[in-house]
Amino acid sequence: MSLPSDPLPPVLAISGPTAAGKSGLAMALCERLAGRAEIVSVDSAQIYRGMDIGSAKPDAEARARVPHHLLDILDPAEPYSAARFAADAAEVIEAIRGRGRVPVLVGGTLLYFRALFDGLSELPSADPALRAELEDERARIGPDAQHARLAAVDPVTAARLHPNDAQRVQRALEIQLLSGRPASQWHADPKPQGRVPGRLLRFAVQPPPKALFDQRIAARFSQMVSAGLIDEVSTLRARGDLHLDLPSMRAVGYRQVWQHLDGAFSRAEAIRRGVIATRQYAKRQMTWLRGEGERWRWIDPAEPSALDAVLSAAGS
């Protein structure tokens, strides 16, 4: 396949729900491009050092075959934002294109994709004192009551958030309390320009039918445990400077194993809860992608023609 003679190589984005086969498709694509592509991770857990097994981070062999970017760039104690990702990714994409290669963005953190492609609203900055108050309130009145509080001031945002999504429920309340405006109004404001010039091609990986996908998620999580996920979380927990309120430790799988190590429940229960949380996360990802309409082209990685479809679009 020959790439078009555009001044800039295209940017290929591959997303989809967790465990749907994004990474495998991206690796196969890069190998078909024979040294003319590099991968940019779009994953809010893979950015952290020491979070390898639970984030399904590409191993050393995969990184030796294809250059990878935005892996292991932060310590788990450090905060990171979608806006910072957009800036970091834009810099990496420019460098890859400068080498005459194709950036292949792969991952499931859809807010990162949105920040990079569409820009983000200029929201009020976080207020640590107010955030602590909201966390205390949640512990006192419970997630359902706090979610109801959000629904009273911002029904649009509350309708799309589950009561158990503590981070986003509290952030929406924080925005409303700091600014006097609902978060939904902030998000509706005109946004700055995205950071990806030139051709952008987006592909969403279609998972298998639900029953088979549920089995795949369960098998994948059990495989992570067998590969040492509990030891990985134990090492992070033993540092003493990490805790469950950090964004890194809110990642699916890490939170459930951490709670098991705290004695909250058994290993078997941690696995059960981790599988459930992964399925819920995959469902949210699917809802987000479907809400994007035709901006993403759905492909089935099990189809022999899937790679050809991506390469054909890139070369058209």
Side-chain angles (χ1 to χ4, degrees):
M1 186 209 77
S2 61
L3 295 171
S5 57
D6 290 0
L8 292 173
V11 171
L12 303 183
I14 299 175
S15 192
T18 186
K22 300 183 294 295
S23 297
L25 181 67
M27 286 295 295
L29 175 64
C30 289
E31 290 177 345
R32 285 279 294 272
L33 287 170
R36 291 177 291 159
E38 300 182 25
I39 288 176
V40 182
S41 173
V42 187
D43 188 290
S44 60
Q46 292 183 0
I47 59 173
Y48 291 114
R49 294 184 289 273
M51 295 177 62
D52 304 329
I53 298 169
S55 71
K57 191 178 294 176
D59 59 19
E61 189 269 338
R63 295 192 224 185
R65 283 159 52 201
V66 178
H68 283 67
H69 303 273
L70 300 188
L71 300 174
D72 299 324
I73 61 173
L74 290 177
D75 183 86
E78 296 179 77
Y80 199 63
S81 67
R84 184 174 167 189
F85 168 82
D88 290 345
E91 184 177 336
V92 170
I93 289 168
E94 183 179 8
I96 294 171
R97 282 173 147 178
R99 292 189 283 274
R101 296 180 177 179
V102 177
V104 178
L105 280 60
V106 58
T109 303
L110 293 159
L111 182 61
Y112 284 8
F113 277 117
R114 176 174 289 178
L116 178 63
F117 296 159
D118 303 325
L120 292 173
S121 302
E122 293 294 329
L123 298 172
S125 299
D127 183 306
L130 178 55
R131 185 157 294 182
E133 288 179 16
L134 290 170
E135 289 173 356
D136 289 344
E137 176 190 77
R138 184 179 182 84
R140 187 176 69 255
I141 67 176
D144 290 333
Q146 190 170 67
H147 186 266
R149 180 185 176 191
L150 175 62
V153 296
D154 188 355
V156 174
T157 300
R160 67 177 179 80
L161 296 180
H162 191 280
N164 290 337
D165 193 348
Q167 182 180 5
R168 291 181 176 84
V169 168
Q170 290 175 10
R171 175 58 177 155
L173 280 168
E174 180 183 50
I175 290 168
Q176 195 278 330
L177 290 167
L178 288 172
S179 69
R181 295 180 69 207
S184 54
Q185 289 185 11
W186 282 93
H187 290 304
D189 287 344
K191 298 177 178 62
Q193 198 83 13
R195 292 175 175 263
V196 181
R199 287 201 309 145
L200 169 61
L201 304 170
R202 310 186 202 194
F203 298 90
V205 176
Q206 179 69 47
K210 185 178 184 306
L212 180 58
F213 191 40
D214 285 349
Q215 292 175 11
R216 181 186 292 182
I217 287 173
R220 184 174 185 250
F221 196 85
S222 294
Q223 183 179 26
M224 287 178 173
V225 172
S226 297
L229 175 59
I230 293 177
D231 287 340
E232 181 172 271
V233 179
S234 180
T235 298
L236 293 166
R237 182 170 171 271
R239 287 177 32 165
D241 63 333
L242 303 178
H243 52 81
L244 286 179
D245 290 328
L246 287 168
S248 59
M249 294 300 104
R250 293 193 188 111
V252 170
Y254 288 91
R255 170 176 287 275
Q256 291 76 24
V257 172
W258 186 296
Q259 290 171 321
H260 156 61
L261 294 171
D262 277 347
F265 37 74
S266 67
R267 173 190 170 109
E269 179 65 10
I271 294 172
R272 188 187 75 84
R273 291 186 181 216
V275 169
I276 290 172
T278 306
R279 288 172 179 162
Q280 291 171 339
Y281 180 47
K283 184 178 180 180
R284 292 195 299 272
Q285 290 170 307
M286 289 292 291
T287 299
W288 183 308
L289 285 165
R290 286 171 177 155
E292 296 264 291
E294 296 181 356
R295 303 179 80 186
W296 293 86
R297 175 179 172 182
W298 289 91
I299 55 172
D300 183 352
E303 288 289 332
S305 61
L307 269 182
D308 290 333
V310 176
L311 291 168
S312 175
S316 60

